[in-house]
Amino acid sequence: MKIAMVGSGYVGLVSGACFADFGHDVVCIDKDQSKIDRLHAGIMPIYEPGLDALVESNVRAGRLSFTIDLGEGISGADAIFIAVGTPSRRGDGHADLTFVYEVAREVGEKLSGDAVVVTKSTVPVGTGDEVERIIKETGTPHKVAVVSNPEFLREGAAIGDFKRPDRIVIGAEDDFGREVMRQVYRPLFLNESPILFTSRRTSELIKYAANAFLATKITFINEMADLCEKVGANVQDVSRGIGMDKRIGSKFLHAGPGYGGSCFPKDTLALLKTAEDYDSPTRIVEAVVKVNDTRKRAMGRKVVDALGGTEAARGKRAALLGLTFKPNTDDMRDSPAIAVAQTLMDAGVAVTAYDPEGMEAAAPLLPDVTMCDSPYAAIDGADVVVIVTEWDAFRALDLKRVKQLLTQPVMVDLRNIYKPDDMRAAGFDYVSVGRA
Ligand code: UDX
């Protein structure tokens, strides 16, 4: 099969490289010349474990190439994926579909044969209908089916998620679309990954419903964590206790500083907007968005409290370990670290920080935070150390050294990666999330 991937960002590049690895002939297209130049030179535009090697081996095998020329890239393609960004529209939170529609028009104008056009970008219900209308409007003589095929890739684990998915969702309105998509995903079908065929609108909604549900699970356990702190219970045991019930499931029940990233915050907002437009409010998701937003600053106040409260904290310094919204990524989008650092600085607390991959992206967002080149350099002379992101590198810190470097042995662990008993035994004044 010949596949064209329009948009070589996170989703497009990972999907394109994985399709090539299955043996398809893939062209990744992007209008950003410097991104394409860097890809030609083997430089990845994002940090994703294993991606550079996957890209390199498939380029070498002649199955993966890059271009800025959309007409050339889609020429002869059986399936053309649209994998461009759908950011939150400034001012109202709707998904901004400008890029998706621009690509649809250009694809329609430059089609050289029959093809299936697949939206992989996360798009609100009804976008596929509009993409189809735009393509028809170009007057293309070729047969086109517009299909929805949402991605469920986690940053940091995207290649594994692509190759061993829990399910593949395909929303198609005709046999042509369904048949081409069956061929595209044949290698995974042989792996026994379940494929769910639905209508296009259903598929579009599945993506939002999945992310909103996961965001709800996280927010639920975060509120349970707050309650645990008040009643003297342990949230990790609550998670285990409820997660063993197969109807609930154990995943996405880790309490922490609130969810961030490129998907949950934007997709929950966009779902609310769709629900509003259709006069069908989703009040649970509304609450999730509000609770998660306020939680991030609340985590900053937790650190202020650990420093002895507002008066005592002023003039002190906090060392933040981890800035990205989760480990194994350099992504800072909607990271709780931003709100935590801001809250601390608003309270007159100076902030030093270290992150294994995220400091370059974090620096412009947090210009007043001093970036350091190791965890220990950040901790040196600080009054509290705060674990914000659970990078493996922070799971086995040299606690003796940490204690020596701090002015006082205070740790706030927003990811519960240490055990309260161990930390107390090591002489720390230790605060975590949802654990007495
Ligand atoms: C998510 C979805 O998982 C993926 O299917 C979708 O396609 C894109 O959005 P991603 O944003 O990469 O992926 O990260 P994920 O691992 O889902 O974590 C999202 C946020 O939730 C992170 O901030 C993470 O720290 C937080 N989280 C996750 C928790 O606080 N607790 C949990 O138990 C799980």
Side-chain angles (χ1 to χ4, degrees):
M1 288 244 120
K2 186 164 180 221
I3 293 176
M5 191 63 67
V6 188
S8 302
Y10 194 81
V11 171
L13 192 56
V14 170
S15 309
C18 288
F19 278 137
D21 211 43
F22 289 150
H24 294 313
D25 187 3
V26 180
V27 184
C28 286
I29 303 156
D30 204 289
K31 60 181 182 186
D32 180 346
Q33 177 76 58
S34 72
K35 189 185 272 182
I36 294 297
D37 290 345
R38 274 177 288 147
L39 283 165
H40 279 140
I43 302 164
M44 298 301 111
I46 46 154
Y47 171 77
E48 178 64 28
L51 184 62
D52 42 2
L54 193 72
V55 167
E56 199 223 296
S57 66
N58 283 286
V59 167
R60 208 166 352 103
R63 289 188 299 259
L64 180 62
S65 60
F66 307 100
T67 180
I68 62 157
D69 186 336
L70 186 130
E72 174 200 306
I74 66 169
S75 159
D78 302 288
I80 301 164
F81 283 79
I82 303 180
V84 294
T86 53
S88 279
R89 197 160 64 191
R90 218 174 269 260
D92 69 2
H94 273 279
D96 184 342
L97 298 169
T98 316
F99 302 127
V100 173
Y101 294 153
E102 268 173 25
V103 171
R105 184 165 307 280
E106 204 180 340
V107 165
E109 285 162 359
K110 296 185 172 162
L111 264 184
S112 63
D114 297 350
V116 171
V117 174
V118 192
T119 44
K120 206 162 218 355
S121 305
T122 299
V123 293
V125 178
T127 303
D129 302 355
E130 183 62 11
V131 167
E132 186 174 289
R133 196 192 59 75
I134 291 172
I135 294 176
K136 280 210 180 110
E137 202 178 62
T138 63
T140 177
H142 304 292
K143 181 164 79 169
V144 176
V146 176
V147 166
S148 157
N149 171 222
E151 53 86 15
F152 302 102
L153 309 175
R154 284 167 304 165
E155 291 186 22
I159 294 169
D161 283 351
F162 192 96
K163 292 191 163 183
R164 289 173 296 281
D166 287 344
R167 80 312 202 177
I168 297 152
V169 175
I170 292 167
E173 298 296 323
D174 57 28
D175 287 339
F176 175 46
R178 274 185 288 271
E179 195 39 49
V180 169
M181 292 307 282
R182 228 179 244 121
Q183 295 305 321
V184 165
Y185 280 105
R186 222 176 89 83
L188 279 173
F189 199 49
L190 299 176
N191 267 351
E192 295 183 352
S193 295
I195 300 193
L196 177 67
F197 284 98
T198 70
S199 76
R200 197 163 58 200
R201 286 184 162 237
T202 304
S203 165
E204 288 167 340
L205 187 56
I206 285 173
K207 166 70 191 216
Y208 283 101
N211 276 354
F213 192 84
L214 292 169
T216 303
K217 241 183 141 178
I218 297 167
T219 307
F220 176 84
I221 204 65
N222 283 342
E223 285 201 318
M224 285 301 124
D226 293 346
L227 185 57
C228 282
E229 287 175 19
K230 297 273 158 66
V231 302
N234 179 319
V235 75
Q236 282 179 315
D237 290 339
V238 172
S239 293
R240 269 183 224 117
I242 64 174
M244 282 175 185
D245 185 328
K246 290 202 182 69
R247 293 170 301 177
I248 295 173
S250 59
K251 303 222 172 110
F252 275 67
L253 286 178
H254 298 291
Y259 61 77
S262 61
C263 289
F264 289 173
K266 150 176 104 63
D267 294 350
T268 43
L269 266 190
L271 179 61
L272 291 186
K273 292 297 161 187
T274 303
E276 254 173 39
D277 284 355
Y278 285 83
D279 202 12
S280 175
T282 46
R283 297 212 177 78
I284 293 177
V285 185
E286 275 170 30
V288 165
V289 169
K290 278 207 189 98
V291 170
N292 193 67
D293 277 350
T294 49
R295 182 170 191 80
K296 295 178 183 175
R297 279 187 74 87
M299 292 298 114
R301 291 197 297 276
K302 198 179 177 84
V303 179
V304 170
D305 287 345
L307 284 169
T310 324
E311 292 280 297
R314 189 163 294 279
K316 292 210 165 129
R317 176 150 72 77
L320 304 190
L321 301 191
L323 293 169
T324 51
F325 80 98
K326 67 173 200 174
N328 299 319
T329 174
D330 57 359
D331 201 334
M332 283 296 296
R333 281 176 284 182
D334 278 300
S335 173
I338 301 170
V340 170
Q342 216 66 65
T343 310
L344 284 167
M345 292 186 294
D346 291 347
V349 179
V351 178
T352 47
Y354 169 77
D355 187 281
E357 296 292 340
M359 291 195 294
E360 208 182 305
L365 299 171
L366 295 167
D368 297 324
V369 170
T370 308
M371 302 293 167
C372 301
D373 55 15
S374 79
Y376 301 104
I379 294 166
D380 194 1
D383 305 286
V384 57
V385 52
V386 187
I387 310 268
V388 187
T389 315
E390 69 278 32
W391 285 91
D392 279 345
F394 306 145
R395 288 177 189 273
L397 291 170
D398 177 348
L399 293 177
K400 251 199 200 135
R401 194 167 161 207
V402 171
K403 219 169 126 188
Q404 277 164 3
L405 291 172
L406 287 168
T407 61
Q408 49 183 24
V410 184
M411 179 188 276
V412 178
D413 179 0
L414 299 179
R415 299 286 184 169
N416 290 348
I417 62 176
Y418 286 95
K419 293 197 174 120
D421 287 347
D422 293 355
M423 293 308 288
R424 243 160 261 140
F428 276 85
D429 183 358
Y430 176 76
V431 180
S432 59
V433 175
R435 301 185 300 179

